[in-house]
Amino acid sequence: MNGDERQHQIVALARRHGEVNVAKLAAELNVSAETIRRDLRLLEKHGLIRRTHGGAYPVETAKFETDLAIRTTRGVPEKRRIAAAAASLIGDAETIFIDEGFTPQLIAEALPTDRPLTVVTASLNTAAWLAGNSPTTVLLLGGRVRGRTLATVDHWAAGMLSGFVIDLAFVGANGISREAGLTTPDPAVADIKAHAVRASRRRIFAGLHTKFGVRTFCRFAEISDFESLITDTALPVSEAHRYSRLGPQVIRV
């Protein structure tokens, strides 16, 4: 196996499993750990993976997006802390948009149950959990269901959102950067997120530090559109300060 073939295999494994480990790759591909580290540096330079301590995870692009099953296994303790911090900020909001994805689903699970709330969501999982476990009124957006995230998209969902005035939106993204704003690989998903941002008086982004500095294909919002960005403490304080200078409060939990 030459270098190009090995690097292609590394990307394929990262996308299949959600992450890869240097030691395991070295054993599986029968090369040294230093060879794998060189491969990872090259793949990161090409924007295909991002390195972590001891491994790497795939970068999402217009041609690749992690599915919900992988998202439910990565960074779960951090996602739960982020979700709890996000839910604590609802204030007097009565109508809430909750985005597709696993972290937004955890936000839904952390919402208070001692007062009436109406939640609008495109996520089948979030709608099902709230309907079965909460007194919240749930409005599920109609449309085509994406198998990768089990969420609805296209003009049916966008049309419903355009008729709402929502107090607060909890929004996720595949990437957030100071230059490109908030982005996602799929134009249909970007359209729903953009409609939700426009329909809401307040907006809060919630996501892991690994989303920061990442750009994917479709921009749907600017950082200045958000009152808060909530992430984990692995985002450096200096980087959090740079984002806060664009308008939102950056909360590290």
Side-chain angles (χ1 to χ4, degrees):
M1 183 181 295
N2 62 33
D4 287 344
E5 292 170 335
R6 187 175 60 249
Q7 290 153 22
H8 178 80
Q9 181 73 356
I10 290 170
V11 172
L13 288 168
R15 291 179 172 179
R16 185 179 311 142
H17 301 295
E19 59 185 346
V20 287
N21 174 273
V22 170
K24 290 181 179 179
L25 283 174
E28 184 170 342
L29 300 177
N30 196 30
V31 294
S32 70
E34 184 52 39
T35 296
I36 295 297
R37 292 190 188 96
R38 285 198 299 269
D39 288 337
L40 295 181
R41 286 194 291 269
L42 182 61
L43 290 169
E44 185 174 50
K45 182 178 179 181
H46 289 314
L48 295 171
I49 58 99
R50 289 193 76 177
R51 289 182 293 160
T52 62
H53 180 69
Y57 61 88
V59 170
E60 297 183 332
T61 68
K63 294 182 179 179
F64 168 74
E65 182 183 3
T66 55
D67 60 27
L68 198 58
I70 288 175
R71 298 180 197 184
T72 60
T73 62
R74 182 189 298 162
V76 175
E78 293 86 353
K79 289 176 179 178
R80 290 195 183 278
R81 292 200 304 271
I82 291 167
S88 73
L89 297 180
I90 68 168
D92 61 358
E94 297 179 353
T95 55
I96 299 171
F97 172 81
I98 295 184
D99 206 353
E100 65 170 50
F102 184 56
T103 302
Q105 180 181 329
L106 294 176
I107 295 173
E109 295 176 11
L111 290 176
T113 58
D114 59 351
R115 60 190 177 95
L117 295 173
T118 297
V119 168
V120 179
T121 186
S123 166
L124 274 65
N125 282 0
T126 294
W129 190 93
L130 286 171
N133 299 278
S134 167
T136 299
T137 298
V138 184
L139 298 180
L140 176 63
L141 300 177
R144 174 175 61 89
V145 178
R146 297 179 74 233
R148 185 166 293 277
T149 58
L150 295 180
T152 54
V153 292
D154 292 341
H155 65 276
W156 302 277
M160 287 183 69
L161 274 172
S162 65
F164 295 143
V165 178
I166 298 171
D167 293 328
L168 171 63
F170 291 112
V171 180
N174 300 77
I176 175 171
S177 73
R178 288 179 283 120
E179 299 79 13
L182 283 78
T183 57
T184 193
D186 190 312
V189 175
D191 185 51
I192 299 304
K193 291 177 183 286
H195 272 81
V197 168
R198 287 195 294 269
S200 303
R201 294 189 300 108
R202 299 171 53 209
R203 306 106 179 183
I204 293 174
F205 166 81
L208 291 175
H209 75 280
T210 54
K211 306 285 188 180
F212 286 74
V214 174
R215 310 178 192 187
T216 60
F217 183 51
C218 301
R219 175 167 49 211
F220 64 86
E222 302 294 339
I223 290 171
S224 58
D225 292 329
F226 290 78
E227 69 174 50
S228 299
L229 311 178
I230 307 177
T231 189
D232 58 276
T233 55
L235 182 72
V237 173
S238 58
E239 191 67 3
H241 178 67
R242 293 185 184 99
Y243 280 87
S244 69
R245 292 178 64 182
L246 298 176
Q249 176 188 22
V250 181
I251 302 171
R252 300 161 64 251
V253 295

